[in-house]
Amino acid sequence: MRKLSRLSRFNIASLALGLAFLYLPILILVIYSFNASRLVTVWGGWSLRWYHEFFNDRAMIEAAWMSLRVAVSSATIATLLGTLAAVALSRGERFGGRTLFSGMLYAPLVMPEVITGLSLLLLFVALNAERGFWTVTIAHTTLTMCFVAVVVQSRLGSLDRSLEEAAMDLGCDPVRAFVAVTLPLIAPAIVAGWMLAFTLSLDDLVIASFTTGPGSATLPIRIYSEVRLGVKPEINAICTLVIVLIAVVIVVASLASKLSSSQGESAAPL
Amino acid sequence: MSGRRIFARPARFAAIAPYVWMVLFFLVPFAFVLKISLSQTAIAQPPYEPVFDLTAGWEAVKTALAALSIDNFRLLISDEIYAFAYVRSLTVAVTATVLLLLIGYPIAYGMARLPKRWQAVAMVLVIVPFWTSFLIRIYAWINILQHDGLLNQILLALHLVSQPVVWLSTDSAMYIGIVYSYLPFMILPLYATLAKMEPALEEAAGDLGAPPWQVFWLVTFPLSLPGVGAGVLLCFIPIVGEFVIPDLLAGSNALMIGQTLWLEFFTNKDWPVASAAAIVLLVVLLVPLLLYERLQKRQLEQGR
């Protein structure tokens, strides 16, 4: 017993240090976004000055708006396609080219973004497509639908298939059984998938840089070009706003999934 | 059983839209990369010379195939910068992955030993930074590591150093950034295997007289190897192609392959060489990619 308790003190220490390592930099950034001083590292008292500066920066606001539009539309298309892909993979048994299909869905998860971005740009150039909102949206959809597919597929895999079979024994056709029984049960995963796609799109710099055209930069592209030129306190404010936005999205998502998973649990014993 | 089979047919139709999408926007683009990597560099808009034109029929394809050139690949081999970049990418990825394993393992282990209720909390706490923009997290470190940043201020205040240390634009800054960004990718698979492990096995080893380090090395670690494998691959593969972190945090003296590709593309506008570099990068990563896919398949089967 003694040995175990000494071990657990080591556990707690490493856990605490690890979490501190993960959170302190973000916390410091948020605190410094309220710094009145122009020098990023000298504390000049609390102030909303840099938030003010951001809301008066037309180019930044435009980039943020572009990012939001791309994130919402690509996440929505990706959720539709990703859910379909997950259904096909977990319920479709065998079909022609299934291995190729799942391979294509898994590869973008780990492939370096430079390759994905480069290949899509070459496609768009070959098609003579005008680069901007739609090309970035298509690129982000391609990347994020793979994440949606993985999230939804794991939820589908843990579902009890007898529920669907029961619905069909009671006279539902497969499509109706899916809509009435399966869809409500996987809804939390679909919501989580959308949120993940949304944040991934909002976050992406590399693929967006390759696929966007002149005059339609996303927020990460603007932030990146500013950061390369040196640290600007305004960036702290923008970053804090993005963190708050993502935090809101996570809270909404977890509430939604808690709500429907408690429904799912009460439905399961039936 | 028959119900499942009835269900399978419409499910197959569900594949059509995502299948077409992935072929169009994932598979076909690779054909273009391959094609352009075999083209001649040209100073034009777009800056490459097309090698074939499908509208011209089979004869044109034949002449085009004859005109394909592997000059770009030859350049990659002969030019020291590229060889150096590939070696550098692999070294950085190996070093960072080892660091990630050393830092991530104790954290995952600590998580797995928490009471069940707290495990869920710890997991959320590890995932949340992953949801936060990765560019923001790198930027947060620039704030800390710069010349008059917080780290130097603390070190000076504690009289640990007499003058500011240069952190930014060094390899250590880059490793801090990489470890920081990829830590959740290492912790989560490790935690997944460690949490599933039967604690009785460790207790038994302890009861039989093994000191804690032996319990860990002979029982815990070998049993966690699937998680180690998944974590290592999940970190190693994307780090090889990493571009933003080294660009913002490392010095400009030694470029990784992701950066050379980016420069070749955007600054030198040499699309064929950039494409060839992408192909070589993909080939280098093919082995760990296939390993990763196999591992994931096995884990999916175990999960069922």
Side-chain angles (χ1 to χ4, degrees), chain B residues 77-156:
Chain B
I77 295 167
S78 60
D79 194 329
E80 261 176 29
I81 294 173
Y82 288 99
F84 195 77
Y86 284 105
V87 172
R88 158 105 172 149
S89 293
L90 291 175
T91 333
V92 168
V94 169
T95 316
T97 308
V98 170
L99 285 172
L100 276 159
L101 194 58
L102 290 177
I103 296 169
Y105 204 105
I107 301 175
Y109 190 81
M111 279 170 71
R113 291 294 165 271
L114 285 175
K116 269 277 173 283
R117 256 189 60 159
W118 288 100
Q119 283 190 22
V121 176
M123 183 133 126
V124 171
L125 284 173
V126 169
I127 293 176
V128 166
F130 162 74
W131 286 73
T132 320
S133 166
F134 115 100
L135 188 59
I136 291 178
R137 284 181 281 153
I138 299 307
Y139 178 71
W141 275 105
I142 297 181
N143 268 341
I144 295 171
L145 295 175
Q146 62 182 313
H147 185 72
D148 49 358
L150 209 62
L151 183 60
N152 273 336
Q153 286 182 19
I154 292 172
L155 289 177
L156 287 171

Side-chain angles (χ1 to χ4, degrees), chain A residues 23-73:
Chain A
Y23 281 91
L24 272 180
I26 299 175
L27 196 69
I28 291 166
L29 177 119
V30 172
I31 292 173
Y32 271 105
S33 77
F34 295 104
N35 184 6
S37 163
R38 172 160 289 283
L39 292 164
V40 186
T41 46
V42 179
W43 186 254
W46 298 90
S47 136
L48 288 175
R49 177 178 170 191
W50 305 115
Y51 291 88
H52 216 112
E53 205 115 311
F54 165 65
F55 283 111
N56 288 322
D57 187 338
R58 266 200 78 89
M60 274 291 177
I61 293 283
E62 259 166 36
W65 179 231
M66 167 89 176
S67 272
L68 273 178
R69 273 162 52 221
V70 167
V72 168
S73 28

Side-chain angles (χ1 to χ4, degrees), chain B residues 168-201:
Chain B
L168 218 53
S169 307
T170 63
D171 276 8
S172 6
M174 178 186 64
Y175 283 118
I176 291 174
I178 294 180
V179 168
Y180 187 66
S181 306
Y182 285 89
L183 199 53
F185 292 98
M186 185 57 92
I187 292 178
L188 290 176
L190 283 175
Y191 162 74
T193 51
L194 285 169
K196 265 191 285 180
M197 202 179 288
E198 191 63 60
L201 292 170

Side-chain angles (χ1 to χ4, degrees), chain A residues 173-252:
Chain A
D173 60 86
V175 176
R176 232 189 99 79
F178 178 78
V179 174
V181 177
T182 318
L183 203 57
L185 288 174
I186 60 170
I190 295 179
V191 173
W194 190 91
M195 303 292 174
L196 185 58
F198 176 81
T199 49
L200 282 170
S201 165
L202 211 58
D203 188 22
D204 168 69
L205 164 71
V206 177
I207 293 177
S209 300
F210 274 102
T211 51
T212 196
S216 48
T218 60
L219 194 59
I221 296 178
R222 295 273 334 169
I223 294 178
Y224 177 66
S225 57
E226 294 282 343
V227 170
R228 289 193 86 182
L229 297 177
V231 179
K232 246 177 99 181
E234 190 194 334
I235 304 288
N236 285 331
I238 302 168
C239 292
T240 305
L241 287 174
V242 175
I243 291 172
V244 169
L245 176 71
I246 289 172
V248 168
V249 166
I250 294 174
V251 169
V252 170

Side-chain angles (χ1 to χ4, degrees), chain A residues 81-239:
Chain A
L81 293 171
T83 305
L84 284 173
V87 169
L89 282 177
S90 69
R91 294 291 187 267
E93 309 293 320
R94 304 260 153 236
F95 58 86
R98 192 196 148 99
T99 320
L100 174 69
F101 186 51
S102 66
M104 283 193 299
L105 279 173
Y106 281 123
L109 298 180
V110 282
M111 221 169 54
E113 286 181 319
V114 271
I115 299 184
T116 315
L118 177 76
S119 65
L120 275 164
L121 170 62
L122 296 180
L123 173 79
F124 293 140
V125 168
L127 293 176
N128 230 335
E130 195 194 327
R131 274 170 283 143
F133 173 79
W134 279 110
T135 47
V136 182
T137 302
I138 287 172
H140 282 181
T141 303
T142 310
L143 176 73
T144 57
M145 69 181 270
C146 306
F147 285 86
V148 176
V150 168
V151 171
V152 176
Q153 201 189 349
S154 75
R155 174 86 185 171
L156 274 169
S158 66
L159 274 192
D160 189 352
R161 281 191 185 199
S162 57
L163 291 171
E164 292 161 357
E165 281 162 19
M168 282 187 277
D169 286 345
L170 293 172
C172 276
D173 60 86
V175 176
R176 232 189 99 79
F178 178 78
V179 174
V181 177
T182 318
L183 203 57
L185 288 174
I186 60 170
I190 295 179
V191 173
W194 190 91
M195 303 292 174
L196 185 58
F198 176 81
T199 49
L200 282 170
S201 165
L202 211 58
D203 188 22
D204 168 69
L205 164 71
V206 177
I207 293 177
S209 300
F210 274 102
T211 51
T212 196
S216 48
T218 60
L219 194 59
I221 296 178
R222 295 273 334 169
I223 294 178
Y224 177 66
S225 57
E226 294 282 343
V227 170
R228 289 193 86 182
L229 297 177
V231 179
K232 246 177 99 181
E234 190 194 334
I235 304 288
N236 285 331
I238 302 168
C239 292

Side-chain angles (χ1 to χ4, degrees), chain A residues 115 118-119 122, chain B residues 32-39 48 72-73 76 86 261 264-265 270-282:
Chain A
I115 299 184
L118 177 76
S119 65
L122 296 180
Chain B
F32 279 100
V33 177
L34 198 59
K35 178 192 137 180
I36 289 163
S37 73
L38 296 169
S39 314
Y48 69 92
N72 301 309
F73 290 95
L76 286 190
Y86 284 105
L261 201 160
E264 205 63 73
F265 197 87
D270 194 337
W271 291 20
V273 169
S275 302
I279 299 258
V280 175
L281 176 58
L282 201 63

